[in-house]
């Protein structure tokens, strides 16, 4: 969680701004806990206003997802970045923080205020913000060895007549099934190998909902990232097939007519087979890009850092 006090001070005369970034997370999905910890930081640093900007989803006691919570009397507030939806986050965050500052500088009411998201779109909006914050397009960096192995596997398979025969004999629905199965296998392997599945801390509805949200964001992030890797593999293998294969030669070996359009089908099958064979054959790396694809893993790292800090005191 990042604390700003007072935020956007550059836009107001007489303000001094300080920024603090730290793994401020244990129990901080609870709004009251978050506000209390922010106020404690403000007292320690002598801040007049304090706003926490967190990548965690926030929910109140009624189960509503919140954009922000404000305690004007104590001049503290917390803003949830995932609740901004994931698009134009910096611009929206600046606008939201400016509004929170104005609300605490001239409080209309001294009572604590909650800013809930619309119920119908709240969960989807928060989930989208979490997935985009994970930057799934960077997942390939954490799978570079597996991706290289899959490319090598595909390059070899592309020139094998047995693979030609098998690929061209498959119906479209079987090719689709092979694609879905290969992507699902890799996602399951990453989750199991990286121990990314989040489990509730207790049996409360809030803890179960939080774990469901984290796990859903992890699965969606991995799905987007693996699909990008799959498409990259397909394009590279297609270029290789168009460069090295001659439909006339393939026709002689298979005893049937082969056209350039069949190379797209061949590459489709090879991409699915190479995805599973290459990735599972080499194993997956322990990489920041993979660990960053899950909120549960981030939470685990923060807890470890906080525990180390407590032990050092």
């Amino acid at each position: 969680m990042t604390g700003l006090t007072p935020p956007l001070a550059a836009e107001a005369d007489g303000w001094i701004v300080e920024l603090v970034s730290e793994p401020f997370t244990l129990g901080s999905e609870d709004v009251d806990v978050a506000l209390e910890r922010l106020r404690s930081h403000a007292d320690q640093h002598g801040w007049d206003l304090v706003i926490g900007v967190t990548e965690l989803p926030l929910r109140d006691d009624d189960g509503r997802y919140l954009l922000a919570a404000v305690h004007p009397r104590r001049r503290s507030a917390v803003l949830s970045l995932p609740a901004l939806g994931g698009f134009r986050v910096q611009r929206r965050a600046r606008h939201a923080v400016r509004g929170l500052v104005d609300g605490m500088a001239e409080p209309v009411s001294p009572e604590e205020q909650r800013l809930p998201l619309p119920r119908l779109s709240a969960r989807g909006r928060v989930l989208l913000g979490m997935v985009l914050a994970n930057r799934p397009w960077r997942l390939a960096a954490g799978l570079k060895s597996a991706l290289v192995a899959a490319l090598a596997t595909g390059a070899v398979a592309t020139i094998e007549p047995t693979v030609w025969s098998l690929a061209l004999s498959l119906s479209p629905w079987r090719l689709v099934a092979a694609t879905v199965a290969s992507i699902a296998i890799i996602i399951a392997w990453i989750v199991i190998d990286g121990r990314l599945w989040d489990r509730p801390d207790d049996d409360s509805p809030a803890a179960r909902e939080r774990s469901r949200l984290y796990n859903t964001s992890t699965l969606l992030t991995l799905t987007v990232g693996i699909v990008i890797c799959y498409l990259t593999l397909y394009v590279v293998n297609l270029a290789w097939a168009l460069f090295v294969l001659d439909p006339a030669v393939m026709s002689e070996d298979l005893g049937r007519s082969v056209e350039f359009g069949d190379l797209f089908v061949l590459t489709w099958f090879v991409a699915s087979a190479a995805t599973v064979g290459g990735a599972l054959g080499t194993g997956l790396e322990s990489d920041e890009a993979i660990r960053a694809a899950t909120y549960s893993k981030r939470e685990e790292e923060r807890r470890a850092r906080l525990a180390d800090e407590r032990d050092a005191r």
Side-chain angles (χ1 to χ4, degrees):
M1 181 173 290
T2 302
L4 297 93
T5 178
L8 303 182
E11 300 182 11
D13 294 335
W15 289 92
I16 299 175
V17 65
E18 293 183 45
L19 301 178
V20 175
S21 180
E22 61 179 60
F24 189 59
T25 184
L26 288 176
S28 293
E29 296 95 336
D30 181 87
V31 177
D32 293 329
V33 172
L35 289 173
E36 182 62 31
R37 291 183 177 180
L38 285 170
R39 193 62 249 171
S40 176
H41 272 57
D43 293 339
Q44 292 175 12
H45 292 82
W47 296 336
D48 295 322
L49 300 178
V50 58
I51 295 180
V53 180
T54 176
E55 64 180 9
L56 297 173
L58 296 176
R59 301 180 74 204
D60 63 10
D61 295 336
D62 296 329
R64 299 177 302 174
Y65 286 101
L66 303 177
L67 171 63
V70 187
H71 203 309
R73 183 171 55 83
R74 304 201 66 184
R75 311 192 84 178
S76 60
V78 58
L79 171 69
S80 175
L81 289 179
L84 297 174
F87 297 106
R88 296 182 297 173
V89 173
Q90 292 186 349
R91 179 179 177 182
R92 291 181 176 182
R94 286 195 297 268
H95 179 76
V97 169
R98 186 181 298 113
L100 293 174
V101 171
D102 292 341
M104 288 188 291
E106 299 179 2
V108 177
S109 170
E111 300 300 324
E112 183 177 321
Q113 303 168 16
R114 305 287 172 89
L115 306 178
L117 296 173
R119 285 188 178 273
L120 293 180
S121 62
R123 197 174 192 277
R125 182 173 174 177
V126 170
L127 190 58
L128 176 63
M130 293 172 71
V131 170
L132 293 180
N134 286 335
R135 294 176 291 184
W137 49 87
R138 299 184 61 181
L139 183 63
L143 300 174
K144 50 184 176 292
S145 291
L147 188 58
V148 169
L151 288 170
T153 302
V156 173
T158 299
I159 59 176
E160 283 291 328
T162 303
V163 176
W164 303 344
S165 180
L166 180 59
L168 299 180
S169 68
L170 294 177
S171 60
W173 74 266
R174 288 190 175 185
L175 289 169
V176 172
T179 300
V180 173
S182 65
I183 292 174
I185 288 172
I186 295 304
I187 292 173
W189 181 264
I190 293 175
V191 171
I192 294 171
D193 185 67
R195 298 189 298 275
L196 301 182
W197 197 254
D198 186 85
R199 299 184 182 278
D201 295 331
D202 52 58
D203 198 40
S204 66
R208 293 198 301 270
E209 169 62 17
R210 183 165 58 248
S211 288
R212 283 195 294 267
L213 189 69
Y214 287 173
N215 289 330
T216 302
S217 72
T218 295
L219 292 177
L220 288 177
T221 299
L222 292 176
T223 298
V224 174
I226 296 301
V227 167
I228 292 174
C229 292
Y230 183 94
L231 293 176
T232 301
L233 182 63
Y234 179 87
V235 170
V236 173
N237 281 335
L238 178 60
W240 171 247
L242 292 174
F243 179 73
V244 302
L245 295 182
D246 185 346
V249 175
M250 295 175 66
S251 298
E252 292 179 5
D253 286 345
L254 298 178
R256 53 158 289 187
S257 177
V258 177
E259 300 177 354
F260 274 105
D262 293 323
L263 297 183
F264 289 85
V265 177
L266 170 63
T267 304
W268 186 1
F269 173 73
V270 167
S272 299
T275 296
V276 177
L280 296 186
T282 60
L284 299 173
E285 302 175 12
S286 176
D287 192 273
E288 288 297 328
I290 295 177
R291 289 197 293 267
T294 168
Y295 269 72
S296 59
K297 206 64 179 180
R298 296 182 190 183
E299 180 79 357
E300 180 181 323
E301 292 173 356
R302 288 193 184 97
R303 289 173 187 265
R305 289 172 60 185
L306 286 174
D308 291 341
E309 289 178 3
R310 286 195 297 267
D311 293 340
R313 292 173 183 172

